[in-house]
Amino acid sequence: MLPAPQADGRRAAVLGSPIAHSLSPVLHRAAYAELGLTEWTYGRFDVDEAALPDFFRGLGPEWAGLSLTMPLKRAVIPLLDSVSETAASVDAVNTVVFGEDGRRTGDNTDIPGMVAALREHGVEKVESAAVLGAGATASSALAALARICVGEVAVYVRSAARAAEMRGWAERLDVDVRIADWADAAQALHAPLVVATTPAGTTDALAAAVPERPATLFDVLYEPWPTALAARWSAYGGAVVSGLDLLLHQAVLQVEQMTGRAPAPLAAMRTAGEHALADRT
C-alpha cells in the first residue's frame, strides 16, 4: 500500500555506486519545496551490492522510500516484500516505497517514465523502432516499446552474448525483435523512433550518418549533453528526447509514490534539473 499524504518530516534517498553524479536529490528536493513538504529530506548514499542488506537493516520508520541506480536494481529484489508487475517484467527495481505497515514494495518507474517522456514529445504510437545497445537500459527500453510500438524493434548489438540476452527479453516481453550487428547501426537512424541506450561516446561516430529528415531520437544520456548524435539530429530538424526527460518523468512517479501527493510538480523539477546541469558545465 502507498503511504498516505504526509507533511511531517520523512526521509528518502538515492542509493548506488558511484552516486556522486546523481541529479535525483536536486529533483526530489525541488518537488518537496513545491509541495510544501519542508520537513522532508532526500539524501544520497554510496552503497554497493554487498552493503545493501546492512543499509536496509538500519532503516527506521521515518523512511518513505528509496531510489536505486546501478548496481542495485536487481540486488534489492530479495530484500523486498513485493515487486510490481512492471519491475518483475525486467527484473529491475529502481523505486522502493515503505508503506505505513512497514512493507517494502519495489517498482520500476523507468519504463513508464520512458513512455511519459515520449508522450510529452508527441510520440504515443510508432510503427517500428530501433534500439542502440543491449545493456540494462535496453531491456527497459524494450519494455517501454512493448507499450507503444506496434511493429518490429531492431536491436543493434556488439556480441553474440548480448544478442542472446535481447532475444530472451524480447520473448519475455512479447516484443517482435530483430537482432542486428552494431556494424550496421547507421541503418537504425532511419527508424521512426531510435532509442540510444549506450554509454557516453559510443554513438558519436553515427552522427555523420543522420538522415536529412530524421524522425525521433530518444538518447538516454543527459551528461554530457547534447551528445554528438543528438546535436546532429536536432540540427537536421529531428525531435530529440533526452536523458533528462527520462530522469524527470521517472522521478515524478517516484515522488508521487513516496509522498502520496499527485501530480508531482514536473515544471519545478525540470527547472531545478536544468539549472543543476548548467552549473556543472
Side-chain angles (χ1 to χ4, degrees), residues 173-266:
L173 295 165
D174 195 24
V175 179
D176 179 13
V177 159
R178 174 174 60 86
I179 302 297
D181 192 279
W182 184 264
D184 299 320
Q187 297 176 10
L189 308 186
H190 296 272
L193 171 62
V194 181
V195 185
T197 69
T198 53
T202 306
T203 62
D204 287 359
L206 295 175
V210 173
E212 290 186 4
R213 295 183 179 180
T216 299
L217 170 68
F218 192 163
D219 195 324
V220 302
L221 296 174
Y222 63 84
E223 191 177 17
W225 187 262
T227 63
L229 180 61
R232 179 66 66 91
W233 200 277
S234 182
Y236 278 23
V240 176
V241 186
S242 74
L244 180 59
D245 293 317
L246 169 58
L247 191 67
L248 281 166
H249 282 281
Q250 65 83 27
V252 160
L253 296 170
Q254 289 183 336
V255 168
E256 292 175 354
Q257 290 191 31
M258 293 179 192
T259 68
R261 301 284 186 93
L266 174 63

Side-chain angles (χ1 to χ4, degrees), residues 264-278:
L266 174 63
M269 295 167 71
R270 186 189 304 277
T271 298
E274 290 174 345
H275 286 170
L277 285 177

Side-chain angles (χ1 to χ4, degrees), residues 119-214:
R119 184 185 304 119
E120 185 181 39
H121 285 77
V123 180
E124 298 193 14
K125 289 289 181 184
V126 290
E127 294 299 318
S128 62
V131 175
L132 299 173
T137 306
S139 61
S140 290
L142 276 188
L145 290 170
R147 303 183 180 191
I148 68 167
C149 184
V150 298
E152 179 186 82
V153 178
V155 181
Y156 291 79
V157 303
R158 292 184 182 275
S159 70
R162 290 295 195 184
E165 280 186 30
M166 296 312 291
R167 287 192 185 95
W169 285 119
E171 183 176 347
R172 181 168 177 173
L173 295 165
D174 195 24
V175 179
D176 179 13
V177 159
R178 174 174 60 86
I179 302 297
D181 192 279
W182 184 264
D184 299 320
Q187 297 176 10
L189 308 186
H190 296 272
L193 171 62
V194 181
V195 185
T197 69
T198 53
T202 306
T203 62
D204 287 359
L206 295 175
V210 173
E212 290 186 4
R213 295 183 179 180

Side-chain angles (χ1 to χ4, degrees), residues 16-149:
S17 187
I19 201 62
H21 66 287
S22 176
L23 277 181
S24 291
V26 171
L27 303 182
H28 285 252
R29 291 168 186 169
Y32 297 166
E34 190 75 9
L35 293 170
L37 300 175
T38 56
E39 301 302 314
W40 281 58
T41 63
Y42 189 98
R44 178 195 290 120
F45 295 92
D46 196 302
V47 177
D48 61 17
E49 293 170 274
L52 188 61
D54 281 343
F55 187 92
F56 260 70
R57 279 190 284 270
L59 299 178
E62 73 277 13
W63 283 87
L66 297 170
S67 307
L68 301 171
T69 187
M70 299 304 291
L72 305 178
K73 293 183 179 183
R74 186 167 297 174
V76 74
I77 293 175
L79 305 176
L80 304 176
D81 296 300
S82 62
V83 173
S84 72
E85 184 176 332
T86 300
S89 72
V90 289
D91 285 340
V93 166
N94 79 325
T95 307
V96 177
V97 176
F98 299 95
E100 291 181 319
D101 55 2
R103 287 182 59 82
R104 299 165 173 178
T105 301
D107 193 14
N108 186 309
T109 63
D110 286 330
I111 295 167
M114 285 184 176
V115 174
L118 286 164
R119 184 185 304 119
E120 185 181 39
H121 285 77
V123 180
E124 298 193 14
K125 289 289 181 184
V126 290
E127 294 299 318
S128 62
V131 175
L132 299 173
T137 306
S139 61
S140 290
L142 276 188
L145 290 170
R147 303 183 180 191
I148 68 167
C149 184

